[in-house]
Amino acid sequence: MFSKILIANRGEIACRVIKTAREMGIRTVAVYSDADARAPFVRMADEAVHIGPAPAAESYLIADKIIAACKQTGAEAVHPGYGFLSERTSFAEALARENIAFIGPPVNAIAAMGDKIESKKLAKEAGVNVVPGFVGEIEDTEHAVRISNEIGYPVMMKASAGGGGKGMRLAYNETDVREGFESVKREGLNSFGDDRVFIEKFILNPRHIEIQILGDQHGNIVYLNERECSIQRRHQKVVEEAPSPFVTPKMRKAMGEQCVALARAVGYYSAGTVELIVSGADPSGESFYFLEMNTRLQVEHPVTEAITGVDLVEQMIRVAAGEKLSFTQDDVKIDGWAIENRVYAEDPYRGFLPSTGRLVRYQPPVEPWADDGAENGRRGVAGVRVDDGVFEGGEVSMFYDPMIAKLITWGETRDEAADLQVQALDAFRIEGLGHNVDFLNAIMQHPRFRSGELTTGFIAEEYPEGFHGAAASDELLRGLAAIGGVIATADADRARRIDQRLHDHYYAPGDWTVRIGERDYRVVLEEDAITVDGEPVDIDMEYTPGEAMLDLELGDEALTLQLAKTRTGYAITTRGATHRLRILQTRIAHLADHMIEKIPPDLSKLLICPMPGLLVKLHVSEGEEVQPGQPLATVEAMKMENILRAEKQAVVSKINAGEGDSLAVDEIILELE
């Protein structure tokens, strides 16, 4: 077994590898860029080596710097995590030349499966179902249009070396192909150094199912069941679970055995994942097709660990050291249900735009990386696990992935795991930048999610007008109004105790009018009861003025609330939405109707940059007339290209930025008239 390993990665996956290595008695080395000098993974490791500036292309993606750090520290092996160099054959070969072990699959398997075009050819030769499409070289946009017309729309254009949702465009017609083909090529080149593109038929009502593979260097290969990853946004996974509510034992066996056969065909060992697309319209599950094989650890590996009890990082290390698997296929079981939500630095209330900045407050629901015990299959604390790589006061940088944390819950049933997600997300406190916690919470409560009727179109279909917060029941709103009344009374009671007050109110008021949205609630606090519009509300709570988080019982339901003081009341966040409560004493509440309403300025004449990013391309010039939907500019943020379009017919009157400029959020790119 190795005595020291180096982790050629950053953030939560670096912390994840360090945690298991520490438990195995293996010393660890972290490598870090300028942006990560104070990051948790650097502090967690036994040693740390600085490897360069913040951009990954100048630090984490330079193999020579990783190898130099290995030599400097005496590390015998490298775990690449995911992303960066994890699927680069040149990196694995360079390590081999220096007699440094690569904690991952053999080079030939990475080469065979890492190229999406070649992997499809191999899968087809091995008798694996593949999606109809064109897997050869595509010459130019016109060639792409001809291919798409032959396959039949809709089609998906993908960068051959792509991953993580980057380098992908869905095209419903010829216009979409012409508009998106070059963009896919650029994303592939910028993110992966490869601008080759392939085109395949897009399966309608698709479900994304993946099979976890694990093999050793002695020819033993097993599959660790499946994960359902159908809830995606822009082809990036948002929610993952294991097992899948769609997959039957018969389907699981067929998929698993086929994926093992594919892995065996390329001499695979270590952890890997075969991604399948399954037609949700076919309940038999026989309509499944090979998408790609990821020759590395997946972001969503914790849900597999939770239901199987197998530590995948530990197994990768043991396999790399030459050990045999200690279990067989018959030993792989399914215990309970696990769900993972990816907490991203993005603002769902602003079209999921990337959000960078400082984490002014960061308090996860349980201590990160804590476990009740390794024997429980990495299920965290009481079924709640947080994998992260950030800290309060730290910064989410524009240079790397926008993930803040992964929240994993385990329960005996799927509903139990989802209920735990709702509770934990309510208690996840993040301030300082936009985040998607409310959105994740809304998904966990959504009737369609609970039914298990999932497709990769879930988010687009259920939130066609964007996300505006989870819907709240009348009962919850009445409860929040009552809670607002209790808080207002407590705050007023504290205020009246301050010396030298000008007024002579000796008792805190107990009659309030609470406005939530467009509705007013009359809240009356009496000695032994709280009523809302004359109806009693049962609340069990304790509140001290100034508290930012509150645990209470509303009727029979336990709630966690996050509180933020506003000018006229409180903003209360719970159950996937932030509710703004205007709280006024009933005797003066009617006077609020006489306040002058503020009219927001007209911003329709401005193209405003919605996120910090790089202006990659200007599609128009001054004086040009534009039509609704026409591309105006392309902004790259978090390695993703975002096309900004005209909302109405207009003429470009002034351009304020040029291609290659770095833009701040809300910066004006151009003006229209």
Side-chain angles (χ1 to χ4, degrees), residues 295-335:
T295 56
R296 53 171 168 78
L297 193 67
Q298 292 279 91
V299 176
E300 56 272 21
H301 74 273
V303 293
T304 295
E305 294 182 331
I307 66 163
T308 62
V310 176
D311 185 320
L312 285 167
V313 174
E314 178 185 348
Q315 293 302 318
M316 291 181 74
I317 295 172
R318 293 191 181 282
V319 166
E323 294 185 14
K324 289 185 177 181
L325 294 182
S326 60
F327 56 91
T328 66
Q329 190 65 58
D330 290 339
D331 298 319
V332 178
K333 307 297 181 186
I334 297 178
D335 180 15

Side-chain angles (χ1 to χ4, degrees), residues 173-185:
N173 50 49
E174 184 176 316
T175 302
D176 290 346
V177 176
R178 293 186 183 279
E179 204 172 84
F181 181 73
E182 290 298 328
S183 185
V184 172
K185 289 188 70 172

Side-chain angles (χ1 to χ4, degrees), residues 415-438:
D415 278 340
E416 285 183 24
D419 288 342
L420 268 179
Q421 281 283 343
V422 172
Q423 295 170 23
L425 288 164
D426 274 346
F428 215 128
R429 189 180 178 199
I430 301 173
E431 296 177 15
L433 43 70
H435 57 80
N436 66 340
V437 168
D438 280 359

Side-chain angles (χ1 to χ4, degrees), residues 478 481-483 485-486 510-512 514 521-526 528-539:
R478 290 178 68 252
I483 292 164
V486 172
D511 189 348
W512 304 93
V514 180
Y521 298 86
R522 176 90 179 267
V523 180
V524 178
L525 278 68
E526 299 172 343
D528 57 354
I530 302 172
T531 62
V532 177
D533 295 336
E535 296 291 327
V537 175
D538 184 18
I539 302 175

Side-chain angles (χ1 to χ4, degrees), residues 494-545:
R494 184 181 69 167
R496 76 181 179 85
R497 298 173 187 274
I498 299 174
D499 288 341
Q500 309 301 319
R501 298 282 290 180
L502 294 178
H503 62 70
D504 57 355
H505 295 162
Y506 295 108
Y507 300 99
D511 189 348
W512 304 93
T513 295
V514 180
R515 172 165 289 186
I516 305 177
E518 300 299 319
R519 181 173 173 184
D520 287 340
Y521 298 86
R522 176 90 179 267
V523 180
V524 178
L525 278 68
E526 299 172 343
E527 188 173 340
D528 57 354
I530 302 172
T531 62
V532 177
D533 295 336
E535 296 291 327
V537 175
D538 184 18
I539 302 175
D540 184 3
M541 63 178 283
E542 292 183 8
Y543 168 73
T544 301

Side-chain angles (χ1 to χ4, degrees), residues 581-594:
L581 280 61
R582 189 196 71 183
I583 307 174
L584 299 172
Q585 292 184 46
T586 297
R587 66 185 179 85
I588 62 170
H590 66 282
L591 299 176
D593 294 336
H594 300 289

Side-chain angles (χ1 to χ4, degrees), residues 381-428:
V381 179
V384 179
R385 167 178 165 180
V386 173
D387 290 11
D388 69 12
V390 300
F391 63 100
E392 186 169 282
E395 195 166 344
V396 176
S397 167
M398 66 178 287
F399 296 104
Y400 311 118
D401 188 88
M403 184 186 292
I404 297 173
K406 301 186 306 197
L407 176 65
I408 305 100
T409 55
W410 177 90
E412 294 286 351
T413 66
R414 186 169 183 266
D415 278 340
E416 285 183 24
D419 288 342
L420 268 179
Q421 281 283 343
V422 172
Q423 295 170 23
L425 288 164
D426 274 346
F428 215 128

Side-chain angles (χ1 to χ4, degrees), residues 60-247:
Y60 295 107
L61 287 172
I62 299 182
D64 289 346
K65 291 188 175 182
I66 306 297
I67 292 171
C70 288
K71 291 179 177 179
Q72 176 184 331
T73 58
E76 306 153 272
V78 171
H79 195 300
Y82 43 71
F84 293 148
L85 298 171
S86 62
E87 294 178 284
R88 292 272 182 94
T89 53
S90 59
F91 179 55
E93 289 169 340
L95 290 174
R97 286 194 295 269
E98 300 294 339
N99 201 29
I100 300 169
F102 179 69
I103 303 175
V107 171
N108 64 295
I110 300 174
M113 292 291 104
D115 186 315
K116 287 184 172 64
I117 293 175
E118 293 303 316
S119 68
K120 285 183 181 298
K121 292 178 180 178
L122 281 167
K124 195 171 184 179
E125 291 169 4
V128 180
N129 294 338
V130 296
V131 180
F134 184 86
V135 293
E137 294 286 339
I138 299 175
E139 299 164 7
D140 52 26
T141 300
E142 293 303 321
H143 190 197
V145 168
R146 291 198 302 273
I147 291 168
S148 301
N149 289 336
E150 290 170 6
I151 295 172
Y153 296 98
V155 298
M156 179 67 80
M157 298 177 289
K158 293 184 180 180
S160 179
K166 299 178 181 68
M168 301 173 71
R169 286 290 188 281
L170 180 59
Y172 286 94
N173 50 49
E174 184 176 316
T175 302
D176 290 346
V177 176
R178 293 186 183 279
E179 204 172 84
F181 181 73
E182 290 298 328
S183 185
V184 172
K185 289 188 70 172
R186 280 197 303 272
E187 283 190 6
L189 186 62
N190 292 339
S191 295
F192 309 103
D194 186 343
D195 69 352
R196 290 177 302 155
V197 175
F198 68 95
I199 300 176
E200 64 186 13
K201 180 73 174 176
F202 182 72
I203 305 299
L204 295 172
N205 299 323
R207 298 182 78 118
H208 185 115
I209 308 292
E210 58 188 35
I211 301 291
Q212 176 69 58
I213 296 294
L214 182 64
D216 62 26
Q217 298 186 50
H218 306 276
N220 303 304
I221 305 177
V222 299
Y223 63 91
L224 300 176
N225 306 313
E226 81 284 350
R227 295 185 288 259
E228 170 101 39
C229 308
S230 295
I231 297 184
Q232 304 177 7
R233 193 187 64 77
R234 291 186 67 175
H235 314 295
Q236 180 120 0
K237 298 165 188 172
V238 176
V239 182
E240 301 103 349
E241 59 182 307
S244 164
F246 180 74
V247 173

